[in-house]
Each structure stands twice: as C-alpha cells, then as structure tokens.
Amino acid sequence: MRKFTSIYIHFPFCKRKCFYCHFTKFNYEKELVDKYLNYLVKEIHLRSNLNYKIETIYFGGGSPSLLNEEQLSMIMSAIYKYFNIENNAEITIEANPEDVTYKKLNYIKKIGVNRLSIGIQSFVKKDLVCLKRNHNVKQSIQAVENALNAGFSNINLDFIIGLPIQTQKTLEHNFLKLKDFEIPHVSAYILEEVKKKKYSEDRDNELYFFTKDYLESIGYTHYEVSNFSKKGFQSKHNLKYWKDKNYIGIGLSASSYENRIDYKNFSNFNNYFNKIENKKIPYKESQTIEHDKRRIITGLRMIDGISIKNFENYKNALNFLISNNLLVKKKSKVAVNPDKILVLNEILTFFL
Ligand code: SF4
C-alpha cells in the first residue's frame, strides 16, 4: 500500500533580512542561488520515493516568490519526475507582496501552484514601517488583487500582532480587508522581540483574543494556535505537521519526519553541498522522540486537541493540568483550555 505524505521545499534567500525572523535565510546572490537550486534538484532526486503519494507540496523560505519561471518549473519538474503527486494535491508558495506581479502569479499558477500564502503582515502603514518591511500598504493591496485576478481562490494572509502602535482599531482595519477580499485563511503571529522589550503579556493577550473573537465573528474557525480558516480551507500541508503525518523536507535546514524519525538537513551550504556531491541525503542529525510525547507536543497546537489515548503514560501531568484548568477533556479528546492557549509552551513543559 502506498503511503501518503508531503513535500516541503526550502528556498533560503531574501532580498532583505527582517529583524524579527528566525528562519534560515541568506542574502540573495545570484551565483549562490543558481548553485543552490542545482543541488536542490539533486536532493529531490536522492530523496525520490515512488511508493509515496504526495498530497501537498509547500515552497517556504526565505522568499520563494523570488524564484523565476524557469527556476520554479525546474523544481516542479524534478518533483513530478521523482515522486507520485496526487491529482488534487495542495501546492502552496509563500510570497512577499512586493514580488507578486500579475505576470508572476500567472506563471506560478500555470506551473501548478494552487495556494498562495502572502506575507502581508499588516495593511497599516505604521506597522509596516515598524517591521522595516520591504513593501508598503499599496503593494499589499495590489498583491491580493493580483492574486484574485490571476484566479487564486485558496489564499492565506499572514499578519503580525502585538506591534507597539497596534490597537484593536488598527487590527480591525486589517480584518475588514479580509472581508472585502473574501480571504479564506488567516495566520496571525505574535511578534516576540518587540513584546519582550517593551510590552506586557497582558497587552498581547488583549490583542490576540481580540483577533480571535473578531475573526470568529466574521466566519473564521480558529483551528490552530495561530491559524484561522473558512470551511474547507484549512492548510492541508500544515495539518500534516500537527497530525503526526510523514513529511519530506528538502533544502538547506529543512526538517523531515518519516516512519516516526525526525531528520534535520544541514544549515550550512558547504556541508549541504558536500553531502549531496557524495550522493548522500544531507541530514545533519536525526532523532526518535517517544511517540506519545511527540504527538502531544505537536497535536495540542490544534484547537480540537488530540485523543486521550496519547496521554496513557502521562496520567499525572494530565490530571494536574486538567485540575488547574489548563487542559480540558472533550469526550475522547484532550485540548488546551482556549483561554490558556498563549501559555501552551509552559503547558508542554509538563511532557518534556
Ligand atoms: S522576508 Fe520573510 S523569510 Fe525573509 S527575513 Fe523577512 S520574514 Fe524572514
């Protein structure tokens, strides 16, 4: 029987490095990018597995929207050559607003990408200045209009919450745009750096719960700590991470999970290139985390929670957390108390 799985492709280059970003990324230099893509395709070949049925493909970064038509089609051809891709596979690319011209979106679509995740961050000028982003509000609006005009209906917009000058009113301004554009998926992340320096957790709580309540009031379902969707538009790819499914991460620093083993690729170009040169998968390390523990750590991010069966070996922790109102039992499932979702990391320490 064929196994279902997903492919993640990492493109670790950006035109500008944002101060708050923790992803592996480097300045865009054409020569290095060309070399990297050459090795990326070789890695796709090395990872080839025709027993897998690929249900989702995700281009993340970095800034994969910097890929041109030729580069993107080279990667896609390799994926299609070395893996079995489901006909209705969800294929996502992360995009910066300043990169997505109507022309570019047309070739992205032509190549088979059917879901866009646009790093809008905010439709408010002061927020974008604070984040030192490369794009302005006009470009954000243009990017969404281009996406809709190019025929994309499965769109996610990323927002950052907890900015110094952000208020419920400015957040509402952002969310009204979601309504105008009929966007089916939203990710809202709390900005850690600024928070730590100047602002209290109470303020983050206020803005986070305002976001949650507002989005729910306009028809979104909160299904993961930072993710909200309209019916039928949950991110199939990200669900794989939270639902204990296999995924193959290809590229510098990419993570994989296959047959209950976690793998991590090298984050250093020389090591990455050398391994592939020697026809070896560029794993830096692997580890097997006790399965129930891993299931709890990834699964409790889901608002619906996970089966109580996963807590068999953690009965004391479970009882303690339930009696302290941090976890709740819902029939045969256990979930984080929705009011305590922002202390999830602290809750998870009970299972480490
Ligand atoms: S563009 Fe995106 S990936 Fe690149 S540095 Fe900024 S936030 Fe990080």
mmCIF file of all heavy atoms in Angstrom, residues 10-26 60-64 94 96 98-99 119 121 131-134 160, ligand 1:
data_model
loop_
_atom_site.group_PDB
_atom_site.id
_atom_site.type_symbol
_atom_site.label_atom_id
_atom_site.label_comp_id
_atom_site.label_asym_id
_atom_site.label_seq_id
_atom_site.Cartn_x
_atom_site.Cartn_y
_atom_site.Cartn_z
ATOM 1 N N HIS A 10 12.649 24.167 0.774
ATOM 2 C CA HIS A 10 13.130 25.408 1.410
ATOM 3 C C HIS A 10 13.975 26.239 0.448
ATOM 4 O O HIS A 10 14.950 25.744 -0.126
ATOM 5 C CB HIS A 10 13.941 25.084 2.667
ATOM 6 C CG HIS A 10 14.182 26.284 3.522
ATOM 7 N ND1 HIS A 10 13.162 26.938 4.174
ATOM 8 C CD2 HIS A 10 15.300 26.977 3.804
ATOM 9 C CE1 HIS A 10 13.652 27.973 4.831
ATOM 10 N NE2 HIS A 10 14.957 28.030 4.617
ATOM 11 N N PHE A 11 13.587 27.513 0.296
ATOM 12 C CA PHE A 11 14.373 28.458 -0.515
ATOM 13 C C PHE A 11 14.899 29.537 0.441
ATOM 14 O O PHE A 11 14.155 30.446 0.838
ATOM 15 C CB PHE A 11 13.487 29.079 -1.607
ATOM 16 C CG PHE A 11 14.237 30.022 -2.503
ATOM 17 C CD1 PHE A 11 15.106 29.541 -3.472
ATOM 18 C CD2 PHE A 11 14.096 31.399 -2.361
ATOM 19 C CE1 PHE A 11 15.819 30.417 -4.293
ATOM 20 C CE2 PHE A 11 14.802 32.279 -3.178
ATOM 21 C CZ PHE A 11 15.666 31.781 -4.135
ATOM 22 N N PRO A 12 16.174 29.419 0.837
ATOM 23 C CA PRO A 12 16.646 30.219 1.978
ATOM 24 C C PRO A 12 17.223 31.594 1.632
ATOM 25 O O PRO A 12 18.216 32.007 2.225
ATOM 26 C CB PRO A 12 17.744 29.320 2.561
ATOM 27 C CG PRO A 12 18.326 28.663 1.356
ATOM 28 C CD PRO A 12 17.213 28.495 0.357
ATOM 29 N N PHE A 13 16.628 32.284 0.681
ATOM 30 C CA PHE A 13 17.190 33.588 0.289
ATOM 31 C C PHE A 13 16.120 34.672 0.387
ATOM 32 O O PHE A 13 14.963 34.440 0.069
ATOM 33 C CB PHE A 13 17.710 33.533 -1.151
ATOM 34 C CG PHE A 13 18.795 32.513 -1.344
ATOM 35 C CD1 PHE A 13 18.501 31.254 -1.853
ATOM 36 C CD2 PHE A 13 20.114 32.797 -0.991
ATOM 37 C CE1 PHE A 13 19.491 30.294 -2.018
ATOM 38 C CE2 PHE A 13 21.115 31.847 -1.147
ATOM 39 C CZ PHE A 13 20.793 30.592 -1.661
ATOM 40 N N CYS A 14 16.584 35.874 0.817
ATOM 41 C CA CYS A 14 15.689 37.030 0.906
ATOM 42 C C CYS A 14 16.421 38.253 0.389
ATOM 43 O O CYS A 14 17.637 38.324 0.450
ATOM 44 C CB CYS A 14 15.295 37.293 2.363
ATOM 45 S SG CYS A 14 14.272 35.993 3.049
ATOM 46 N N LYS A 15 15.647 39.223 -0.087
ATOM 47 C CA LYS A 15 16.249 40.491 -0.536
ATOM 48 C C LYS A 15 16.674 41.325 0.667
ATOM 49 O O LYS A 15 17.588 42.112 0.611
ATOM 50 C CB LYS A 15 15.248 41.277 -1.381
ATOM 51 C CG LYS A 15 15.021 40.675 -2.760
ATOM 52 C CD LYS A 15 16.104 41.103 -3.739
ATOM 53 C CE LYS A 15 15.806 40.460 -5.076
ATOM 54 N NZ LYS A 15 16.748 40.589 -6.107
ATOM 55 N N ARG A 16 15.938 41.162 1.757
ATOM 56 C CA ARG A 16 16.284 41.880 2.981
ATOM 57 C C ARG A 16 15.959 40.974 4.164
ATOM 58 O O ARG A 16 14.944 40.285 4.156
ATOM 59 C CB ARG A 16 15.447 43.155 3.087
ATOM 60 C CG ARG A 16 15.794 43.984 4.310
ATOM 61 C CD ARG A 16 14.729 44.974 4.646
ATOM 62 N NE ARG A 16 14.732 46.111 3.748
ATOM 63 C CZ ARG A 16 13.969 47.192 3.938
ATOM 64 N NH1 ARG A 16 13.162 47.252 4.961
ATOM 65 N NH2 ARG A 16 13.990 48.191 3.086
ATOM 66 N N LYS A 17 16.839 40.982 5.180
ATOM 67 C CA LYS A 17 16.569 40.113 6.321
ATOM 68 C C LYS A 17 15.789 40.884 7.386
ATOM 69 O O LYS A 17 16.270 41.887 7.891
ATOM 70 C CB LYS A 17 17.885 39.615 6.916
ATOM 71 C CG LYS A 17 18.622 38.638 6.013
ATOM 72 C CD LYS A 17 19.721 37.983 6.815
ATOM 73 C CE LYS A 17 20.847 37.548 5.913
ATOM 74 N NZ LYS A 17 22.074 37.257 6.644
ATOM 75 N N CYS A 18 14.608 40.409 7.727
ATOM 76 C CA CYS A 18 13.780 41.090 8.724
ATOM 77 C C CYS A 18 14.305 40.780 10.130
ATOM 78 O O CYS A 18 14.638 39.626 10.428
ATOM 79 C CB CYS A 18 12.329 40.634 8.599
ATOM 80 S SG CYS A 18 11.696 40.892 6.934
ATOM 81 N N PHE A 19 14.345 41.788 10.983
ATOM 82 C CA PHE A 19 14.995 41.641 12.297
ATOM 83 C C PHE A 19 14.308 40.620 13.204
ATOM 84 O O PHE A 19 14.906 40.043 14.087
ATOM 85 C CB PHE A 19 15.061 43.009 13.006
ATOM 86 C CG PHE A 19 13.728 43.534 13.448
ATOM 87 C CD1 PHE A 19 13.223 43.230 14.701
ATOM 88 C CD2 PHE A 19 12.960 44.335 12.592
ATOM 89 C CE1 PHE A 19 11.989 43.713 15.098
ATOM 90 C CE2 PHE A 19 11.724 44.808 12.980
ATOM 91 C CZ PHE A 19 11.230 44.496 14.238
ATOM 92 N N TYR A 20 13.028 40.374 12.947
ATOM 93 C CA TYR A 20 12.265 39.512 13.871
ATOM 94 C C TYR A 20 12.181 38.067 13.399
ATOM 95 O O TYR A 20 11.560 37.232 14.030
ATOM 96 C CB TYR A 20 10.828 40.066 14.020
ATOM 97 C CG TYR A 20 10.118 40.209 12.691
ATOM 98 C CD1 TYR A 20 9.425 39.164 12.136
ATOM 99 C CD2 TYR A 20 10.193 41.406 11.979
ATOM 100 C CE1 TYR A 20 8.805 39.286 10.911
ATOM 101 C CE2 TYR A 20 9.571 41.541 10.758
ATOM 102 C CZ TYR A 20 8.879 40.485 10.228
ATOM 103 O OH TYR A 20 8.279 40.599 9.003
ATOM 104 N N CYS A 21 12.851 37.762 12.268
ATOM 105 C CA CYS A 21 12.649 36.459 11.627
ATOM 106 C C CYS A 21 13.685 35.426 12.075
ATOM 107 O O CYS A 21 14.881 35.695 12.073
ATOM 108 C CB CYS A 21 12.719 36.665 10.115
ATOM 109 S SG CYS A 21 12.680 35.131 9.213
ATOM 110 N N HIS A 22 13.205 34.236 12.447
ATOM 111 C CA HIS A 22 14.113 33.199 12.936
ATOM 112 C C HIS A 22 14.379 32.101 11.912
ATOM 113 O O HIS A 22 15.029 31.106 12.214
ATOM 114 C CB HIS A 22 13.543 32.553 14.208
ATOM 115 C CG HIS A 22 13.356 33.529 15.320
ATOM 116 N ND1 HIS A 22 14.409 34.208 15.872
ATOM 117 C CD2 HIS A 22 12.251 33.984 15.938
ATOM 118 C CE1 HIS A 22 13.953 35.034 16.802
ATOM 119 N NE2 HIS A 22 12.634 34.917 16.853
ATOM 120 N N PHE A 23 13.849 32.240 10.703
ATOM 121 C CA PHE A 23 14.055 31.186 9.705
ATOM 122 C C PHE A 23 15.479 31.242 9.151
ATOM 123 O O PHE A 23 16.137 32.281 9.220
ATOM 124 C CB PHE A 23 13.066 31.330 8.545
ATOM 125 C CG PHE A 23 11.639 31.135 8.967
ATOM 126 C CD1 PHE A 23 10.727 32.176 8.873
ATOM 127 C CD2 PHE A 23 11.216 29.921 9.484
ATOM 128 C CE1 PHE A 23 9.417 32.006 9.286
ATOM 129 C CE2 PHE A 23 9.905 29.740 9.903
ATOM 130 C CZ PHE A 23 9.003 30.791 9.797
ATOM 131 N N THR A 24 15.926 30.113 8.585
ATOM 132 C CA THR A 24 17.254 30.097 7.963
ATOM 133 C C THR A 24 17.161 30.821 6.622
ATOM 134 O O THR A 24 16.424 30.406 5.738
ATOM 135 C CB THR A 24 17.701 28.635 7.717
ATOM 136 O OG1 THR A 24 17.668 27.956 8.960
ATOM 137 C CG2 THR A 24 19.082 28.569 7.118
ATOM 138 N N LYS A 25 17.874 31.937 6.522
ATOM 139 C CA LYS A 25 17.829 32.686 5.253
ATOM 140 C C LYS A 25 19.127 33.477 5.065
ATOM 141 O O LYS A 25 19.823 33.804 6.038
ATOM 142 C CB LYS A 25 16.608 33.602 5.174
ATOM 143 C CG LYS A 25 16.677 34.852 6.007
ATOM 144 C CD LYS A 25 16.204 34.629 7.409
ATOM 145 C CE LYS A 25 16.574 35.789 8.310
ATOM 146 N NZ LYS A 25 16.343 35.552 9.699
ATOM 147 N N PHE A 26 19.452 33.753 3.803
ATOM 148 C CA PHE A 26 20.692 34.440 3.428
ATOM 149 C C PHE A 26 20.356 35.506 2.403
ATOM 150 O O PHE A 26 19.304 35.465 1.768
ATOM 151 C CB PHE A 26 21.688 33.427 2.835
ATOM 152 C CG PHE A 26 22.061 32.352 3.814
ATOM 153 C CD1 PHE A 26 21.270 31.207 3.944
ATOM 154 C CD2 PHE A 26 23.165 32.496 4.637
ATOM 155 C CE1 PHE A 26 21.579 30.225 4.874
ATOM 156 C CE2 PHE A 26 23.480 31.514 5.569
ATOM 157 C CZ PHE A 26 22.693 30.376 5.684
ATOM 158 N N GLY A 60 8.573 27.089 0.970
ATOM 159 C CA GLY A 60 8.715 28.069 2.047
ATOM 160 C C GLY A 60 10.114 28.658 2.068
ATOM 161 O O GLY A 60 10.991 28.265 1.315
ATOM 162 N N GLY A 61 10.310 29.617 2.963
ATOM 163 C CA GLY A 61 11.637 30.245 2.969
ATOM 164 C C GLY A 61 11.890 30.971 4.270
ATOM 165 O O GLY A 61 11.290 30.673 5.295
ATOM 166 N N GLY A 62 12.762 31.989 4.101
ATOM 167 C CA GLY A 62 13.191 32.606 2.858
ATOM 168 C C GLY A 62 12.034 33.215 2.050
ATOM 169 O O GLY A 62 10.939 33.410 2.532
ATOM 170 N N SER A 63 12.356 33.518 0.839
ATOM 171 C CA SER A 63 11.381 34.161 -0.052
ATOM 172 C C SER A 63 11.260 33.409 -1.373
ATOM 173 O O SER A 63 11.833 33.813 -2.390
ATOM 174 C CB SER A 63 11.811 35.611 -0.330
ATOM 175 O OG SER A 63 11.923 36.339 0.847
ATOM 176 N N PRO A 64 10.514 32.302 -1.382
ATOM 177 C CA PRO A 64 10.413 31.528 -2.623
ATOM 178 C C PRO A 64 9.718 32.277 -3.760
ATOM 179 O O PRO A 64 9.829 31.873 -4.915
ATOM 180 C CB PRO A 64 9.620 30.282 -2.212
ATOM 181 C CG PRO A 64 8.951 30.634 -0.941
ATOM 182 C CD PRO A 64 9.796 31.657 -0.266
ATOM 183 N N GLU A 94 4.897 30.464 -0.505
ATOM 184 C CA GLU A 94 4.898 31.678 0.307
ATOM 185 C C GLU A 94 5.337 32.826 -0.582
ATOM 186 O O GLU A 94 6.271 32.677 -1.380
ATOM 187 C CB GLU A 94 5.894 31.555 1.461
ATOM 188 C CG GLU A 94 5.456 30.568 2.516
ATOM 189 C CD GLU A 94 6.500 30.393 3.619
ATOM 190 O OE1 GLU A 94 7.617 30.930 3.494
ATOM 191 O OE2 GLU A 94 6.194 29.674 4.574
ATOM 192 N N ASN A 96 6.093 37.205 -0.892
ATOM 193 C CA ASN A 96 6.167 38.565 -0.354
ATOM 194 C C ASN A 96 5.354 39.476 -1.268
ATOM 195 O O ASN A 96 5.440 39.346 -2.500
ATOM 196 C CB ASN A 96 7.619 39.049 -0.314
ATOM 197 C CG ASN A 96 8.416 38.341 0.764
ATOM 198 O OD1 ASN A 96 7.858 37.859 1.745
ATOM 199 N ND2 ASN A 96 9.713 38.260 0.568
ATOM 200 N N GLU A 98 5.730 42.392 -2.394
ATOM 201 C CA GLU A 98 6.456 43.160 -3.422
ATOM 202 C C GLU A 98 6.900 42.290 -4.596
ATOM 203 O O GLU A 98 7.302 42.805 -5.636
ATOM 204 C CB GLU A 98 7.660 43.897 -2.807
ATOM 205 C CG GLU A 98 8.786 43.017 -2.278
ATOM 206 C CD GLU A 98 8.596 42.563 -0.833
ATOM 207 O OE1 GLU A 98 7.441 42.524 -0.364
ATOM 208 O OE2 GLU A 98 9.605 42.232 -0.186
ATOM 209 N N ASP A 99 6.826 40.978 -4.449
ATOM 210 C CA ASP A 99 7.294 40.083 -5.527
ATOM 211 C C ASP A 99 6.188 39.670 -6.489
ATOM 212 O O ASP A 99 6.465 39.217 -7.595
ATOM 213 C CB ASP A 99 7.853 38.770 -4.935
ATOM 214 C CG ASP A 99 9.099 38.992 -4.113
ATOM 215 O OD1 ASP A 99 9.796 39.993 -4.364
ATOM 216 O OD2 ASP A 99 9.363 38.169 -3.218
ATOM 217 N N GLY A 119 2.739 37.168 2.731
ATOM 218 C CA GLY A 119 3.223 37.782 3.977
ATOM 219 C C GLY A 119 2.849 39.246 4.071
ATOM 220 O O GLY A 119 3.710 40.124 4.069
ATOM 221 N N GLN A 121 1.486 40.929 6.619
ATOM 222 C CA GLN A 121 1.847 41.397 7.982
ATOM 223 C C GLN A 121 0.886 42.474 8.496
ATOM 224 O O GLN A 121 0.469 42.430 9.641
ATOM 225 C CB GLN A 121 3.302 41.908 8.084
ATOM 226 C CG GLN A 121 4.349 41.067 7.374
ATOM 227 C CD GLN A 121 4.274 39.568 7.661
ATOM 228 O OE1 GLN A 121 3.570 39.137 8.554
ATOM 229 N NE2 GLN A 121 4.984 38.756 6.885
ATOM 230 N N LEU A 131 8.029 47.265 11.279
ATOM 231 C CA LEU A 131 8.613 45.954 10.948
ATOM 232 C C LEU A 131 9.772 46.077 9.945
ATOM 233 O O LEU A 131 10.422 45.085 9.631
ATOM 234 C CB LEU A 131 7.535 45.037 10.352
ATOM 235 C CG LEU A 131 6.489 44.510 11.322
ATOM 236 C CD1 LEU A 131 5.340 43.849 10.565
ATOM 237 C CD2 LEU A 131 7.112 43.502 12.288
ATOM 238 N N LYS A 132 9.990 47.305 9.428
ATOM 239 C CA LYS A 132 11.023 47.555 8.413
ATOM 240 C C LYS A 132 10.859 46.622 7.215
ATOM 241 O O LYS A 132 11.824 46.048 6.694
ATOM 242 C CB LYS A 132 12.432 47.404 8.997
ATOM 243 C CG LYS A 132 12.734 48.359 10.138
ATOM 244 C CD LYS A 132 14.224 48.312 10.459
ATOM 245 C CE LYS A 132 14.667 49.366 11.436
ATOM 246 N NZ LYS A 132 14.210 49.217 12.789
ATOM 247 N N ARG A 133 9.616 46.432 6.807
ATOM 248 C CA ARG A 133 9.353 45.546 5.671
ATOM 249 C C ARG A 133 9.721 46.227 4.366
ATOM 250 O O ARG A 133 9.782 47.456 4.272
ATOM 251 C CB ARG A 133 7.865 45.152 5.633
ATOM 252 C CG ARG A 133 7.452 44.234 6.749
ATOM 253 C CD ARG A 133 8.032 42.859 6.665
ATOM 254 N NE ARG A 133 7.715 42.163 5.435
ATOM 255 C CZ ARG A 133 7.787 40.846 5.270
ATOM 256 N NH1 ARG A 133 8.156 40.083 6.262
ATOM 257 N NH2 ARG A 133 7.498 40.288 4.124
ATOM 258 N N ASN A 134 9.941 45.420 3.350
ATOM 259 C CA ASN A 134 10.297 45.915 2.026
ATOM 260 C C ASN A 134 9.077 46.398 1.245
ATOM 261 O O ASN A 134 9.228 46.926 0.169
ATOM 262 C CB ASN A 134 10.931 44.753 1.241
ATOM 263 C CG ASN A 134 12.388 45.019 0.955
ATOM 264 O OD1 ASN A 134 12.891 46.098 1.251
ATOM 265 N ND2 ASN A 134 13.056 44.040 0.367
ATOM 266 N N ILE A 160 0.957 40.031 11.622
ATOM 267 C CA ILE A 160 1.710 40.041 12.880
ATOM 268 C C ILE A 160 0.915 40.854 13.886
ATOM 269 O O ILE A 160 0.437 41.948 13.575
ATOM 270 C CB ILE A 160 3.122 40.612 12.661
ATOM 271 C CG1 ILE A 160 3.936 39.573 11.885
ATOM 272 C CG2 ILE A 160 3.791 40.953 13.989
ATOM 273 C CD1 ILE A 160 5.389 39.837 11.736
HETATM 274 S S1 SF4 B 1 11.193 38.138 4.058
HETATM 275 FE FE1 SF4 B 1 10.228 36.547 5.339
HETATM 276 S S2 SF4 B 1 11.761 34.895 5.480
HETATM 277 FE FE2 SF4 B 1 12.831 36.735 4.687
HETATM 278 S S3 SF4 B 1 13.713 37.666 6.527
HETATM 279 FE FE3 SF4 B 1 11.712 38.669 6.191
HETATM 280 S S4 SF4 B 1 10.249 37.449 7.407
HETATM 281 FE FE4 SF4 B 1 12.124 36.223 7.223
#
